[in-house]
Amino acid sequence: STKFKQLSPAEFFYNNRSMAGFDNPTRAVYTVMRELIENSLDACDAHGIKPLIYVSLKRVAADELEVLIADNGVGVPSRYIADAFGRVFFGSKYTIRQSRGTFGLGGKMAILYGQLTTGEPVNVATSIGSDIHLVKLSIDIKLNQPIVHQKKILHNPNSYRGTTVSIKFKGDYVSARNRVIRYLRMTRIALPYASIIFFDPENQVFLAPALTESMPKPPVESKPHPYGVDIIKVKEMVDSSKREVTLLKFLQKFSRIGVTTASRFVTWLGLDPNRPVKKLSDDEIKKIVEGFKSFTFLPPDGSSLSPLGEQTIRTGLTSEYNPEFISVTTRPPSAYEGFSFIVEAALAYGGGINSENGSNEVRLLRFANKIPLIYDSSNDVAMKVIEEDIDWANYGLDPKVDPLLIFIHIAASKVPFKTAGKEYVADREEVRREIRLALRKCARDLKTYLSKKKREQNFHMR
Amino acid sequence: STKFKQLSPAEFFYNNRSMAGFDNPTRAVYTVMRELIENSLDACDAHGIKPLIYVSLKRVAADELEVLIADNGVGVPSRYIADAFGRVFFGSKYTIRQSRGTFGLGGKMAILYGQLTTGEPVNVATSIGSDIHLVKLSIDIKLNQPIVHQKKILHNPNSYRGTTVSIKFKGDYVSARNRVIRYLRMTRIALPYASIIFFDPENQVFLAPALTESMPKPPVESKPHPYGVDIIKVKEMVDSSKREVTLLKFLQKFSRIGVTTASRFVTWLGLDPNRPVKKLSDDEIKKIVEGFKSFTFLPPDGSSLSPLGEQTIRTGLTSEYNPEFISVTTRPPSAYEGFSFIVEAALAYGGGINSENGSNEVRLLRFANKIPLIYDSSNDVAMKVIEEDIDWANYGLDPKVDPLLIFIHIAASKVPFKTAGKEYVADREEVRREIRLALRKCARDLKTYLSKKKREQNFHMR
Ligand SMILES: Nc1ncnc2c1ncn2[C@@H]1O[C@H](COP(=O)(O)OP(=O)(O)OP(=O)(O)O)[C@@H](O)[C@H]1O
Ligand SMILES: Nc1ncnc2c1ncn2[C@@H]1O[C@H](COP(=O)(O)OP(=O)(O)OP(=O)(O)O)[C@@H](O)[C@H]1O
Ligand SMILES: [Mg+2]
Ligand SMILES: [Mg+2]
């Protein structure tokens, strides 16, 4: 007879760790590094702290590594430390605000991978400025909860604030090295205000001191934008509303809906503004959700987002590639499923970008929420736009042959990642459209530049 | 101050539905269809039932569809119906045995997608041969549990057995149609013993009656194979062992370890066979896991697997493509992480496969546990083998230019899928190696055939 069973979230990702970027011992090194670095960067720049991050990766046995990462971030409050590092789907980044973290999974997967390859617990030291808390823990997979092996509290006379995480795990650093370095170089492009120091197992140092003094101000949490919000979301918001809340009041829980817009929307839909929202029927909720898709609301205001900005993109591309010409386009904020996002695109041409690429492949540099994306580019929504939506010949360009580099950054309060390992971005229509519009604008600018350059060259030749 | 939160599994996949194959309204149609069909096929061929599956997809409003699927499978026992269809990470396929289902997620995602696009609950009718149970339910996302709207029990005078599921959801069938039909055609190649009838929204019928009378016998649950088992897995098995179980007895819980092999292994490791396994230290467990990787055990016996078999592959490829020549290779059973798997590969050449492909792309037909894989082939482990591991020139072949079709089937007690939508298989070293060896053998056979053919042609020309 058939055995039915319930799996915990930790069991699911332990069973299916390839989904989270732990496909093999080489990929595991990359994933452990990037998950820890992204946690440290979030702990800094989401709180207006200029990141100073130290990472060391040491060889402790034949195929065994130990990673140690130390940041100057905001720290973890003591009552949350064990769950933050020991419970899958537990985290602080489930808000409507741009951050690298989004799943409440990454740190736990790195710890879990250490546990399954070496049996060793993770060591965490953290402080929010008061006492320093040291915790040694492992993950109870069946129950999806932390097992605390040891706890210690230290006084903090210098008010140190930040987090240190140390994990022993098996992995192949030699095969992973190029990708790890590429990740760090790409991070440098996106984050000129961050200092990252990396000591690798061969005692090589990757030193990336901050290039700029100032930092963009952190994004702030926003309300959901009405565009693309679905029935489940609206029902959740109705459930969490007080009993007396009217439809008119309820609509103002959405971004860009003030009392005037709310009244116009309710009138347009033919509903009663004073109706208690908890009394709405399923059909009326469906009508509201349909209306959200077709009514013209102001677009999102972008305050929950943190784009790179044209200056950072130009500086980064120039320092890495020294191109002859760069066209940058920043799209206005858009939304999908109620989440706002901004696409920034650039085309870099010539200079240090040479066309004897040999491989006849598109040169594509992808970022999402300032995270470098290195794997699985062929299925990324950006690659679909490049290969299916842009008529490059129309601009006199061929991205597979010309000395051309394509740069895409998606800054979103939720990035529609296709994998739990954040390898690539899903083919979401609203996102695809914004990338398409951004690249067409960049291509037009590049075409203009190249025609002008050609005319000048022809002029000189006479 | 930072808000920490716990997400339920339903909330996680509701937030990140692109990961489960619900990227956009076109992909959603494909995913709903394939998740329901795979559930019905599992309910049949895992239980020795010749599948007879009826699927209809009707248009009920402008962009709203209703899918109805009816199978003659084993049915769902009444006490499990609500959780089977209403609780994420709940299912009957968490065993060491080949099945299409593996996550306890697919059916729930289809239901959830219907719920978020239409607000409608799912209707399920099922019987294991006694009463017929009708259940109308929706999913409580926050609590990850079913909300039963209505329940009914009907008498079953004809002992009907099987399951019917009906979901209303929004989707773009017109854009999805080609992929849905391709999925059905590929299913036909793999399952000559199944009858599938599909009525689409345009009143077209896809009729695929069974081509063969006999069915392969269902795979049986097996113990884990020692090769590749990790520390967490061993500790779990130790925890669930009775207190008096010795190390010698414990080792026999693994496939291919009888008392003789267990003694040899314990002696080789230098441990005491009579030691109560619960008294092993962490270091000793680690030593056992390391030993499992290097000790020579008999390979898995394949009884938990259900490969297609050379005959089915030849028949299927012949009926679809009528090639001039087919070479088929079936690798012996192998293992990773304790799970056994078999790779079957084929190269089909010429005949109905023409080389004016135009697109200069590899023709690759992928299956995993008899499931057709249609999306994201570029990152699939099979494509990595084809593009990086096989020196095609060595065999006088060029898969991008020649009239060549590459067929890969991975039959596994756990397929290392990279995505929750089962789009492609992760780059797992043991799996990559087996595909590589299988394709090299096929390539050698094809090379031999082509040389022989060329010699014969040269002979005739004299
Ligand atoms: N270095 C750090 N400094 C401060 N807080 C941290 C640090 N590392 C982890 N945390 C906290 O632990 C939580 C869980 O981290 P984890 O990486 O598991 O998930 P996440 O970052 O929220 O999402 P994702 O799975 O996308 O990475 C974070 O949300 C954050 O609150
Ligand atoms: N048509 C059906 N006939 C019999 N049992 C079914 C049927 N559909 C679903 N089930 C039962 O419901 C369970 C949950 O199905 P669901 O699709 O959510 O997960 P799964 O098939 O186990 O795994 P996966 O997420 O990989 O599809 C199944 O394990 C099976 O026991
Ligand atoms: Mg994280
Ligand atoms: Mg299923």
XYZ file of all heavy atoms in Angstrom, chain A residues 50-87:
290
model
N 29.025 51.291 4.672
C 29.970 51.053 3.589
C 30.617 49.688 3.825
O 31.289 49.477 4.825
C 31.042 52.172 3.624
C 31.631 52.522 2.288
C 32.063 53.980 2.279
C 33.050 54.240 1.153
N 34.445 53.884 1.476
N 30.413 48.723 2.917
C 30.847 47.354 3.202
C 32.363 47.206 3.261
O 33.075 47.712 2.384
C 30.292 46.535 2.030
C 29.270 47.407 1.374
C 29.710 48.809 1.611
N 32.829 46.501 4.308
C 34.235 46.085 4.388
C 34.175 44.594 4.721
O 33.829 44.198 5.830
C 34.973 46.860 5.483
C 36.373 46.342 5.831
C 37.264 46.263 4.586
C 37.025 47.244 6.876
N 34.487 43.783 3.720
C 34.269 42.348 3.859
C 35.557 41.583 3.648
O 36.252 41.780 2.639
C 33.193 41.882 2.869
C 31.871 42.582 3.253
C 33.004 40.367 2.908
C 30.748 42.350 2.319
N 35.877 40.731 4.614
C 37.071 39.904 4.567
C 36.650 38.454 4.374
O 35.804 37.960 5.113
C 37.839 40.089 5.885
C 38.911 39.068 6.113
C 40.209 39.288 5.665
C 38.629 37.878 6.775
C 41.196 38.340 5.874
C 39.608 36.930 6.986
C 40.883 37.160 6.530
O 41.852 36.222 6.724
N 37.190 37.794 3.344
C 36.858 36.386 3.111
C 38.153 35.595 2.999
O 39.059 35.990 2.266
C 36.110 36.179 1.766
C 35.530 34.773 1.695
C 35.019 37.211 1.573
N 38.236 34.491 3.741
C 39.382 33.620 3.505
C 38.874 32.210 3.240
O 37.883 31.774 3.836
C 40.348 33.628 4.683
O 39.919 32.716 5.663
N 39.548 31.550 2.320
C 39.204 30.165 1.994
C 40.496 29.375 2.154
O 41.463 29.619 1.421
C 38.676 30.087 0.555
C 37.942 28.821 0.111
C 36.738 28.526 0.982
C 37.517 28.961 -1.345
N 40.548 28.499 3.169
C 41.774 27.744 3.453
C 41.555 26.269 3.142
O 40.455 25.745 3.271
C 42.138 27.861 4.947
C 42.543 29.221 5.410
C 43.531 29.179 6.592
C 42.966 28.575 7.872
N 41.874 29.399 8.466
N 42.658 25.587 2.775
C 42.575 24.142 2.599
C 42.880 23.499 3.947
O 43.922 23.782 4.550
C 43.574 23.703 1.533
C 43.332 22.298 1.018
C 43.990 22.083 -0.348
N 43.204 22.624 -1.438
C 43.675 23.431 -2.398
N 44.941 23.802 -2.380
N 42.888 23.863 -3.356
N 41.987 22.679 4.486
C 42.252 22.054 5.795
C 42.514 20.560 5.664
O 42.944 19.916 6.614
C 41.104 22.328 6.809
C 40.985 23.814 7.066
C 39.785 21.766 6.321
N 42.241 19.980 4.492
C 42.558 18.577 4.229
C 42.538 18.409 2.720
O 42.292 19.364 1.987
C 41.557 17.646 4.906
N 42.772 17.196 2.240
C 42.927 16.960 0.800
C 41.871 17.683 -0.031
O 42.181 18.490 -0.892
C 42.912 15.468 0.503
N 40.607 17.387 0.207
C 39.563 18.046 -0.590
C 38.640 18.840 0.317
O 37.489 19.099 -0.039
C 38.778 17.003 -1.398
C 38.178 15.922 -0.509
O 38.459 15.948 0.719
O 37.435 15.065 -1.010
N 39.151 19.215 1.485
C 38.308 19.913 2.445
C 38.747 21.364 2.609
O 39.932 21.653 2.777
C 38.386 19.196 3.809
C 37.112 19.290 4.606
C 37.097 18.308 5.773
O 36.888 17.107 5.519
O 37.297 18.762 6.921
N 37.793 22.268 2.567
C 38.059 23.695 2.675
C 37.386 24.271 3.917
O 36.436 23.691 4.443
C 37.505 24.414 1.431
C 38.048 23.941 0.082
C 37.141 24.420 -1.060
C 39.457 24.452 -0.138
N 37.888 25.413 4.364
C 37.200 26.150 5.418
C 37.058 27.592 4.951
O 38.055 28.243 4.632
C 37.969 26.102 6.733
C 37.265 26.862 7.857
C 37.948 26.659 9.202
O 39.199 26.747 9.257
O 37.238 26.408 10.195
N 35.827 28.078 4.897
C 35.599 29.473 4.522
C 35.335 30.269 5.795
O 34.658 29.798 6.718
C 34.408 29.610 3.538
C 33.112 29.124 4.174
C 34.268 31.057 3.071
N 35.919 31.460 5.858
C 35.649 32.374 6.949
C 35.303 33.713 6.321
O 36.053 34.209 5.482
C 36.894 32.534 7.837
C 36.753 33.590 8.935
C 35.994 33.035 10.134
C 38.127 34.094 9.374
N 34.167 34.274 6.687
C 33.785 35.595 6.157
C 33.465 36.502 7.338
O 32.787 36.076 8.293
C 32.602 35.498 5.175
C 32.262 36.883 4.603
C 31.401 34.836 5.806
C 31.395 36.826 3.342
N 33.977 37.717 7.289
C 33.745 38.678 8.366
C 33.290 39.993 7.749
O 33.928 40.486 6.817
C 35.038 38.892 9.161
N 32.172 40.525 8.245
C 31.681 41.791 7.699
C 31.470 42.821 8.804
O 31.470 42.489 9.988
C 30.375 41.581 6.900
C 29.200 41.092 7.743
O 28.831 41.775 8.731
O 28.637 40.016 7.423
N 31.270 44.053 8.381
C 31.011 45.155 9.315
C 29.537 45.570 9.207
O 29.200 46.748 9.334
C 31.915 46.349 9.004
C 31.686 46.882 7.584
O 31.238 46.138 6.704
N 31.963 48.153 7.353
N 28.688 44.576 8.938
C 27.272 44.864 8.699
C 26.495 45.094 9.982
O 27.055 45.245 11.072
N 25.169 45.040 9.838
C 24.277 45.422 10.923
C 24.194 44.344 12.034
O 23.702 44.613 13.112
C 22.864 45.705 10.336
C 22.206 44.399 9.887
C 22.005 46.516 11.260
N 24.680 43.122 11.769
C 24.621 42.064 12.765
C 23.241 41.426 12.854
O 22.276 41.897 12.248
N 23.164 40.332 13.611
C 21.891 39.621 13.780
C 21.482 39.713 15.252
O 22.270 39.388 16.135
C 22.018 38.135 13.386
C 20.647 37.457 13.438
C 22.648 37.972 12.005
N 20.244 40.178 15.558
C 19.788 40.229 16.953
C 19.833 38.842 17.583
O 19.471 37.842 16.937
C 18.343 40.732 16.842
C 18.250 41.362 15.493
C 19.216 40.630 14.610
N 20.261 38.753 18.845
C 20.552 37.446 19.464
C 19.383 36.466 19.421
O 19.586 35.284 19.208
C 21.030 37.633 20.900
O 20.038 38.307 21.638
N 18.146 36.981 19.575
C 17.024 36.036 19.619
C 16.744 35.384 18.261
O 16.002 34.409 18.178
C 15.755 36.718 20.131
C 15.188 37.797 19.216
C 14.085 38.583 19.938
N 13.547 39.666 19.127
C 14.176 40.825 18.910
N 15.369 41.044 19.448
N 13.604 41.769 18.166
N 17.353 35.925 17.181
C 17.087 35.373 15.846
C 18.262 34.580 15.269
O 18.138 34.001 14.191
C 16.755 36.507 14.875
C 15.455 37.213 15.165
C 15.426 38.601 15.342
C 14.263 36.502 15.260
C 14.227 39.254 15.606
C 13.063 37.157 15.530
C 13.055 38.530 15.701
O 11.878 39.180 15.963
N 19.396 34.573 15.963
C 20.602 33.986 15.364
C 20.377 32.527 14.959
O 20.651 32.127 13.823
C 21.810 34.074 16.334
C 22.135 35.542 16.625
C 23.026 33.356 15.740
C 23.176 35.708 17.732
N 19.884 31.717 15.881
C 19.768 30.278 15.605
C 18.851 30.012 14.413
O 19.189 29.231 13.524
C 19.274 29.544 16.846
N 17.699 30.668 14.374
C 16.770 30.442 13.256
C 17.291 31.016 11.946
O 17.105 30.425 10.884
C 15.390 31.041 13.575
C 14.594 30.169 14.535
O 14.963 28.983 14.712
O 13.609 30.669 15.112
N 17.952 32.183 12.020
C 18.469 32.805 10.799
C 19.447 31.870 10.093
O 19.495 31.820 8.863
C 19.157 34.132 11.118
N 20.231 31.121 10.889
C 21.237 30.235 10.309
C 20.838 28.772 10.339
O 21.572 27.922 9.844
C 22.587 30.435 11.010
C 23.181 31.791 10.748
C 23.049 32.821 11.664
C 23.846 32.053 9.559
C 23.573 34.088 11.415
C 24.375 33.310 9.279
C 24.232 34.327 10.214
N 19.683 28.452 10.901
C 19.350 27.042 11.072
C 17.960 26.624 10.636
O 17.571 25.481 10.853
N 17.194 27.537 10.038
C 15.827 27.191 9.664
C 15.568 27.661 8.240
O 15.620 28.862 7.949
C 14.853 27.859 10.641
C 13.444 27.325 10.567
C 12.505 28.154 11.442
N 12.650 27.908 12.869
C 12.001 26.977 13.549
N 11.141 26.179 12.926
N 12.165 26.844 14.840
